[in-house]
């Protein structure tokens, strides 16, 4: 069965006149810069599931010039509106709002903008000064124009999602912000509009980003499992290790020693080391991976997690260039999850 075509709207006036049917119908918005892929489709499908068949799903397609530090990057960003309309409709969108730059910024670049504050100066903000100010400014404008009950954003852009949530909370926007899990290709690479710029060799190198995150996640899980075993054996493993060593059972003895020495306060260091090892190997590939940052941060403000953290949520984030393409990825982690 062919999906119904999404209605294309170009102006704020058109959008204002396109209200959901019924007084209680909810509106959801998915904000994009176009070049839609399965990650965007997942956001749209999630939005449709939340508002139901009676609600309205609006997808915005707008390449925001305030988010680009260089004109060349802005010009290079793919524009694929016809294909975007098809993807949006297939995923369940009712409306695609694709305004021009003049429609969003009728007086030229805005003199008054949203400031991302200290969180916006870290990680992505340090690498791309002013990026988050521009992002928040356009998100605020689009929230006013679309007037949604809920807005859906991908967790792949974790710092962006955290800043939008903070803006909505601090400035009392009447909207629910919903984060949607990162969508990955079969080999683990996070879906991104920038992936199309990678040649086959660059794409092979780029897989190190997700491999590093998964290695860190697995290291943490293994370490926390060892710590859980150490707690249940209540110190008996030291004696067991010594006995196994005397009997010549080296492998079992090593396992017992690992259990006995498992310490929860070494989790952050182990996570960083596991990810770093994969990224260091990728730096020697051809073409090489040029690391921008690897950071283990608090999801609330994106400050670095201290090495002695034993409990709580964290985000392991990575950014790197492969050839001319800059990619980001992240994974959520929870310390002390196994007790």
């Amino acid at each position: 069965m062919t999906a119904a075509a999404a209605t294309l709207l170009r102006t704020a006036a058109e959008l204002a006149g396109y209200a959901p049917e019924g007084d209680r119908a909810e509106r959801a918005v998915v904000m994009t810069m176009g070049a839609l892929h399965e990650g965007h489709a997942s956001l749209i499908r999630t939005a449709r599931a939340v508002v139901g068949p009676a609600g309205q799903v609006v997808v915005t397609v707008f390449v925001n010039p305030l988010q680009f530090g260089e004109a060349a990057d802005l010009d290079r960003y793919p524009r694929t509106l016809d294909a975007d309309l098809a993807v949006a409709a297939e995923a369940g969108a009712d409306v695609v709002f694709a305004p021009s730059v003049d429609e969003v910024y009728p007086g030229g670049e805005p003199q008054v903008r949203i400031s991302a504050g200290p969180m916006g100066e870290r990680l992505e903000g340090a690498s791309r000064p002013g990026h988050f100010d521009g992002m928040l400014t356009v998100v605020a404008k689009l929230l006013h124009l679309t007037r949604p009950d809920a807005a859906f954003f991908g967790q792949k852009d974790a710092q962006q999602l955290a800043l939008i949530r903070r803006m909505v909370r601090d400035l009392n926007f009447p909207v629910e912000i919903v984060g949607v899990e990162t969508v990955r290709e079969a080999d683990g690479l996070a879906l991104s509009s920038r992936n199309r710029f990678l040649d086959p060799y660059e794409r092979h190198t780029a897989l190190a980003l997700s491999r590093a995150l998964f290695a860190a996640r697995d290291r943490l899980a293994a370490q926390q499992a060892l710590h859980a075993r150490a707690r249940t054996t209540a110190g008996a493993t030291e004696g067991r290790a010594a006995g196994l060593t005397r009997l010549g059972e080296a492998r079992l003895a090593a396992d017992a020693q690992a259990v006995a020495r498992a310490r929860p306060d070494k989790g952050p260091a182990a996570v960083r080391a596991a990810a770093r090892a994969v990224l260091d190997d990728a730096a020697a590939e051809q073409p090489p991976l040029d690391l921008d940052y690897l950071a283990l941060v608090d999801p609330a403000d994106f400050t670095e997690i201290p090495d002695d953290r034993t409990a709580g949520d964290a985000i392991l984030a990575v950014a790197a260039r492969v050839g001319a393409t800059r990619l980001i990825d992240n994974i959520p982690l929870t310390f002390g999850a196994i007790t």
Side-chain angles (χ1 to χ4, degrees), residues 256-315:
Q257 288 281 8
V259 172
R261 295 172 182 173
R263 292 179 55 187
D265 62 346
K266 297 299 183 182
V271 162
R272 291 185 177 100
R276 177 70 68 172
V278 175
L279 297 171
D280 286 347
D281 287 344
E285 294 276 359
Q286 289 300 325
L289 182 140
D290 182 13
L291 183 65
D292 186 347
Y293 61 75
L294 172 69
L296 183 66
V297 298
D298 188 320
D301 58 11
F302 274 67
T303 56
E304 283 280 350
I305 295 291
D307 279 343
D308 60 355
R309 171 71 63 86
T310 59
D313 293 331
I315 289 175

Side-chain angles (χ1 to χ4, degrees), residues 72-151:
D73 289 338
L74 175 62
D75 293 340
R76 187 173 181 241
Y77 198 87
R79 275 83 165 173
T80 58
L81 183 57
D82 289 342
D84 294 344
L85 287 167
V87 171
E90 182 66 28
D94 299 296
V95 175
V96 172
F97 178 49
S100 67
V101 173
D102 288 340
E103 182 70 21
V104 176
Y105 303 120
E109 288 197 7
Q111 297 299 302
V112 177
R113 307 188 188 196
I114 302 291
S115 170
M119 196 196 323
E121 298 172 357
R122 300 173 185 132
L123 300 188
E124 284 300 291
S127 297
R128 306 166 66 186
H131 167 74
F132 285 127
D133 291 356
M135 179 276 294
L136 290 178
T137 298
V138 80
V139 167
K141 293 203 71 165
L142 290 173
L143 286 175
H144 286 311
L145 291 171
T146 59
R147 295 173 287 112
D149 299 285

Side-chain angles (χ1 to χ4, degrees), residues 76-297:
R76 187 173 181 241
Y77 198 87
R79 275 83 165 173
T80 58
L81 183 57
D82 289 342
D84 294 344
L85 287 167
V87 171
E90 182 66 28
D94 299 296
V95 175
V96 172
F97 178 49
S100 67
V101 173
D102 288 340
E103 182 70 21
V104 176
Y105 303 120
E109 288 197 7
Q111 297 299 302
V112 177
R113 307 188 188 196
I114 302 291
S115 170
M119 196 196 323
E121 298 172 357
R122 300 173 185 132
L123 300 188
E124 284 300 291
S127 297
R128 306 166 66 186
H131 167 74
F132 285 127
D133 291 356
M135 179 276 294
L136 290 178
T137 298
V138 80
V139 167
K141 293 203 71 165
L142 290 173
L143 286 175
H144 286 311
L145 291 171
T146 59
R147 295 173 287 112
D149 299 285
F152 295 75
F153 297 90
Q155 292 178 351
K156 186 179 82 72
D157 297 299
Q159 192 173 4
Q160 169 180 283
L161 176 58
L163 281 163
I164 291 170
R165 282 177 166 153
R166 186 62 189 243
M167 177 185 74
V168 164
R169 183 169 66 249
D170 286 354
L171 301 183
N172 298 104
F173 278 74
V175 61
E176 178 186 3
I177 303 300
V178 181
V180 179
E181 186 176 352
T182 299
V183 178
R184 300 183 180 277
E185 299 192 33
D187 56 12
L189 187 67
L191 287 180
S192 170
S193 302
R194 297 177 185 271
N195 291 352
R196 69 185 63 199
F197 299 133
L198 300 169
D199 68 31
Y201 300 102
E202 291 171 339
R203 197 181 186 288
H204 176 76
T205 297
L207 291 175
L209 272 72
S210 57
R211 286 204 312 270
L213 298 177
F214 298 156
R217 177 196 61 193
D218 294 346
R219 174 71 64 84
L220 179 62
Q223 185 179 52
Q224 293 187 146
L226 282 174
H227 178 59
R229 287 173 59 191
R231 291 185 62 183
T232 59
T233 55
T237 49
E238 284 285 8
R240 180 171 181 269
L244 288 167
T245 300
R246 288 193 296 272
L247 292 172
E249 295 287 350
R251 189 176 70 175
L252 292 175
D255 176 72
Q257 288 281 8
V259 172
R261 295 172 182 173
R263 292 179 55 187
D265 62 346
K266 297 299 183 182
V271 162
R272 291 185 177 100
R276 177 70 68 172
V278 175
L279 297 171
D280 286 347
D281 287 344
E285 294 276 359
Q286 289 300 325
L289 182 140
D290 182 13
L291 183 65
D292 186 347
Y293 61 75
L294 172 69
L296 183 66
V297 298

Side-chain angles (χ1 to χ4, degrees), residues 11-18 103:
T11 69
E14 290 174 338
L15 184 62
Y18 203 98
E103 182 70 21

